[in-house]
């Protein structure tokens, strides 16, 4: 029991409440574990995987994982465009997104053991009376406590009234699903707790346990992992990219990734040489989202490029805003060469490589992805899109 | 045209805007004049009549008066009981209330020229998407500007989210009705203006004119006329009660009633002796809600009691909280007699009258209505329930 609890608690931000969770776990009942997702975000990354890993733990313990797809709200959106809610989606778009989404999620969870439910199932039937009834269950003051609402209200930024209804709809999902546990990011704490309250309002005595997970930092170790910050490791990244990105993170961040992304014993990991620990982490992650052979191959490839070809793992980075640039301009702009003439000469002499490939012409370079720019045998810079 | 405008403007608090109203009136179009009412309040009084009189002016000018019955919202109420919205009503109750209501309204308006519409007609069809769409048309900040919401929010009193939706539903009624003008009490100004805004949001270019009317003071001249303050003159009051209540108001209040309840020229009225003016007002009001003969009879009856029997019109009032009381106790409590023994003696001697009727037994007196308590020929007190 303590072992089970430890697995569940590891890496979480909040559990409300641990006592209730213990009771539910001890009851022997097959618990219903909810994760609500928008039918958007087709490109999942390791940041998302933290929550899905936690679901996997429940699944391995024999509990019922329920994926709640918020297709209903996605079809509504905010017609006035005043709120920051995502735009309205068509049924077709939603279907495509969900397929992309589950395709990635089932790299972690077992498909046949996972229940996928759409909230249009009950919201198409709840009716306007049902919605108004739901609206009566919360107060304006309660909503204005939520951090983002409080901030916007204070700053005189408009909050559309529909935005006060969405958290209630999300909370009602927990009623319809009879959820025992709901997981979410730390930023979802308010909404998840509202689910508990609304369950009680609708006569559910044994209300859901709320488990929130921290937001994972991206490969830069500073900002949260996000596609828009270009500091993410996607579940769909190639083995080479995945391996390389993990090898590029700092040692501190590596231990955090260990804690949040694996079930490894941290005290043992900390006895290893950091470079070995990092290689082990990279191999484990690639193996998880691809397979053992690909992990081995990625490791070999990485060693070949970075170790055998004497490319250092840690190198200076240059943040690139442009999406493409002529090679000679890039060499000057990144500060590796002092003039365009010098740059052109170096290119002609075969002294410039991109990701270990020699470039003999002053061509246009695609700068939308990270790559290593190299002069001769010893001068390196990593070009990173911003 | 100026004459028409003058009639419409008389006694109003706000017209938004007079320019637009002039344009609409000049267009020659048959305007749709909306009054929204809850299917409650079966006992209409002169306070309500101010608005209905204004509708009558539009009706007499050939415009279409539309009575919008909020049956939909009445059926929803606030299930949580957190807000101050009226309780849920059944279809049967609503039907009965509306019958009572229109029975009174059609003492002023012409029934066959009045359109009666129920908002369940569109709200039963709008659907949850429609409602959410509507909810997106206003912001939290806008709602919190409304006086009562602002006050409650400031005082940490809960405002249920359903209460933010009701003004929007009411505003949407104006869309569904294609209203040209909406009338309401001064306290409805916010909601009526929201109707204008929502009409615009839904593509109505020529949005409704908002006309608000003041709240009429009750017979005490201080508090607003209301059943709960017992200072009201009901449209269903008997000719005698109606006549007597009007005769009991102050001269100042009489001129206000003239302005708001009649179309009489005030400068002419002010040349009359106040008592004559009051009698004229009482006669006009009784004639309006009953008929000429009953008005004449009420006047005669009044004169008989108060003039011929030497009962003064103005007399001291005693505010009575109890709903019934033994006569001897009442005489002591109201301060007309110094002891119960003295009171009993006076009763036995036939010295006590209630509304000019001699009482010979120390019986229980019903104190739920106003009456005149009299000792001998000269000592009077009016007992008024609080």
């Amino acid at each position: 029991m303590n072992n089970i609890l430890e697995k569940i608690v590891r890496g979480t931000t909040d559990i409300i409440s641990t006592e209730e969770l213990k009771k539910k776990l001890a009851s022997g009942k097959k618990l219903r574990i909810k994760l609500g997702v928008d039918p958007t975000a087709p490109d999942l990354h390791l940041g998302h995987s933290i929550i899905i890993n936690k679901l996997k733990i429940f699944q391995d313990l024999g509990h019922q994982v329920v994926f709640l797809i918020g297709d209903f709200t996605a079809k509504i959106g905010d017609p006035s465009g005043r709120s920051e809610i995502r735009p309205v989606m068509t049924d077709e778009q939603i279907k495509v997104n969900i397929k992309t989404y589950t395709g990635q999620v089932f790299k972690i969870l077992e498909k046949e053991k996972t229940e996928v439910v759409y909230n249009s199932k009950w919201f198409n039937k709840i009716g306007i009376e049902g919605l108004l009834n739901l609206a009566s269950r919360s107060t304006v003051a309660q909503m204005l406590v939520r951090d983002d609402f409080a901030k916007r209200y204070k700053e005189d930024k408009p909050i559309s009234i529909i935005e006060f209804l969405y958290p209630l709809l999300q909370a009602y999902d927990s009623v319809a699903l009879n959820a025992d546990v709901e997981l979410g990011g730390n930023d979802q704490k308010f909404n998840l707790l509202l689910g508990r309250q609304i369950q009680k309002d609708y006569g559910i005595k044994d209300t859901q346990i709320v488990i929130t997970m921290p937001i994972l930092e991206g490969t830069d170790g500073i900002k949260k992992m996000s596609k828009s910050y270009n500091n993410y490791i996607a579940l769909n990244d190639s083995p080479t990219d995945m391996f390389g990105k993990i090898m590029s993170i700092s040692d501190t961040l590596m231990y955090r990734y260990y804690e949040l992304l694996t079930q490894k014993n941290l005290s043992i990991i900390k006895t290893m040489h950091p470079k070995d620990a990092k290689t082990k982490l990279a191999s484990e992650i690639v193996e998880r989202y691809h397979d053992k052979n690909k992990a081995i191959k990625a490791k070999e490839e990485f060693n070949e490029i970075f170790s055998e070809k004497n490319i250092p793992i840690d190198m200076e980075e240059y943040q690139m805003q442009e999406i493409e640039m002529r090679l000679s301009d890039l060499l000057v702009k990144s500060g590796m060469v002092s003039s365009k003439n010098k740059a052109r000469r170096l290119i002609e002499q075969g002294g410039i490589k991109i990701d270990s490939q020699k470039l003999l012409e002053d061509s246009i370079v695609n700068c939308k992805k990270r790559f290593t720019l190299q002069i001769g045998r010893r001068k390196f810079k990593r070009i990173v899109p911003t």
Side-chain angles (χ1 to χ4, degrees), chain A:
Chain A
M1 181 65 184
N2 274 343
N3 184 27
I4 289 175
L5 202 66
E6 204 175 286
K7 276 187 177 180
I8 294 174
V9 171
R10 175 173 170 149
T12 58
T13 308
D14 268 310
I15 298 185
I16 301 155
S17 69
T18 315
E19 276 318 300
E20 288 177 39
L21 176 62
K22 275 186 200 164
K23 249 187 234 166
K24 287 215 181 200
L25 289 171
S27 73
K29 191 190 150 196
K30 187 174 185 174
L31 301 178
R32 294 178 63 74
I33 320 296
K34 172 191 171 193
L35 177 69
V37 292
D38 279 341
T40 50
D43 210 6
L44 292 195
H45 54 60
L46 290 184
H48 302 113
S49 81
I50 293 185
I51 293 171
I52 304 164
N53 289 340
K54 196 59 80 185
L55 287 174
K56 179 72 160 83
I57 288 168
F58 279 104
Q59 191 167 65
D60 289 345
L61 289 168
H63 298 295
Q64 182 61 59
V65 168
V66 185
F67 253 107
L68 189 275
I69 316 281
D71 67 329
F72 178 79
T73 37
K75 275 188 275 184
I76 307 276
D78 174 16
S80 74
R82 256 194 287 229
S83 89
E84 288 162 17
I85 297 224
R86 294 170 208 282
V88 181
M89 274 182 264
T90 64
D91 282 335
E92 200 46 50
Q93 276 177 296
I94 290 172
K95 221 184 260 173
V96 170
N97 288 350
I98 292 307
K99 215 172 166 182
T100 321
Y101 186 91
T102 51
Q104 298 167 82
V105 161
F106 293 139
K107 289 183 174 184
I108 305 176
L109 293 173
E110 290 178 58
K111 191 177 176 177
E112 39 312 325
K113 285 187 183 168
T114 307
E115 194 178 316
V116 178
V117 192
Y118 295 79
N119 68 2
S120 56
K121 190 176 160 188
W122 42 90
F123 286 128
N124 282 339
K125 278 188 278 181
I126 194 173
I128 177 169
E129 291 92 345
L131 182 64
L132 290 170
N133 187 325
L134 183 59
S136 72
R137 304 297 174 168
S138 180
T139 68
V140 174
Q142 183 182 16
M143 287 295 169
L144 281 176
V145 161
R146 206 176 86 170
D147 288 345
D148 55 339
F149 287 151
K151 190 165 174 281
R152 281 162 63 196
Y153 185 66
K154 210 177 150 191
E155 290 171 356
D156 285 328
K157 287 182 186 158
I159 304 165
S160 160
I161 292 169
I162 198 175
E163 294 181 82
F164 272 15
L165 295 173
Y166 281 138
L168 283 166
L169 294 175
Q170 189 175 330
Y172 186 81
D173 287 337
S174 293
V175 174
L177 290 177
N178 212 350
D180 287 300
V181 177
E182 181 166 10
L183 269 80
N186 199 23
D187 53 348
Q188 285 290 309
K189 190 173 165 187
F190 175 93
N191 292 347
L192 271 48
L193 286 175
L194 191 61
R196 254 168 95 86
Q197 176 196 317
I198 296 297
Q199 278 187 325
K200 198 182 279 169
D201 280 344
Y202 281 79
I204 294 176
K205 278 180 198 160
D206 212 8
T207 52
Q208 68 181 21
I209 315 294
V210 165
I211 301 183
T212 59
M213 302 298 297
I215 306 297
L216 190 71
E217 295 82 5
T219 49
D220 55 8
I222 299 162
K223 288 180 187 154
K224 70 168 188 174
M225 185 175 282
S226 164
K227 205 173 172 178
S228 48
Y229 296 140
N230 237 309
N231 62 357
Y232 72 115
I233 303 174
L235 304 195
N236 275 341
D237 271 352
S238 71
T240 315
D241 279 356
M242 214 174 236
F243 202 98
K245 284 182 185 177
I246 293 170
M247 291 308 287
S248 79
I249 64 175
S250 72
D251 292 349
T252 317
L253 191 60
M254 167 188 64
Y255 295 120
R256 177 132 171 101
Y257 278 20
Y258 258 112
E259 186 194 359
L260 291 171
L261 300 172
T262 76
Q263 297 192 51
K264 289 279 181 300
N265 186 326
L266 279 183
S267 48
I268 296 174
I269 296 295
K270 288 199 174 163
T271 62
M272 296 170 71
H273 185 283
K275 203 197 150 193
D276 295 339
K278 216 176 276 177
T279 309
K280 193 179 160 74
L281 175 68
S283 299
E284 174 167 345
I285 300 293
V286 175
E287 185 176 331
R288 185 183 303 163
Y289 295 108
H290 297 279
D291 59 40
K292 203 176 177 83
N293 284 334
K294 281 182 183 147
I296 292 168
K297 226 185 126 201
K299 184 180 162 185
E300 285 169 358
E301 210 177 278
F302 182 86
N303 286 337
E304 195 187 324
I305 298 171
F306 287 88
S307 313
E308 292 163 25
K309 293 199 176 176
N310 288 319
I311 296 179
I313 292 170
D314 293 325
M315 63 176 83
E316 219 177 294
E317 289 192 350
Y318 177 74
Q319 302 284 335
M320 188 71 183
Q321 284 184 332
E322 287 81 359
I323 56 163
E324 55 175 35
M325 192 175 275
R326 191 166 295 279
L327 182 55
S328 56
D329 290 328
L330 178 64
L331 284 160
V332 175
K333 186 124 200 209
S334 61
M336 292 186 80
V337 173
S338 56
S339 78
K340 268 188 84 166
N341 278 337
K342 218 171 173 180
R344 285 202 207 94
R345 238 185 347 262
L346 279 167
I347 296 167
E348 278 164 27
Q349 292 163 355
I352 305 297
K353 286 181 184 164
I354 280 185
D355 284 344
S356 308
Q357 291 291 318
K358 206 174 277 181
L359 273 103
L360 291 165
E361 275 178 30
D362 189 11
S363 52
I364 301 293
V365 181
N366 173 4
C367 304
K368 280 185 288 188
K369 48 178 283 182
R370 48 198 290 140
F371 57 87
T372 304
L373 192 57
Q374 181 179 357
I375 305 180
R377 296 183 67 86
R378 297 247 161 67
K379 217 170 165 186
F380 299 93
K381 211 155 220 172
R382 184 169 290 125
I383 308 299
V384 181
T386 53

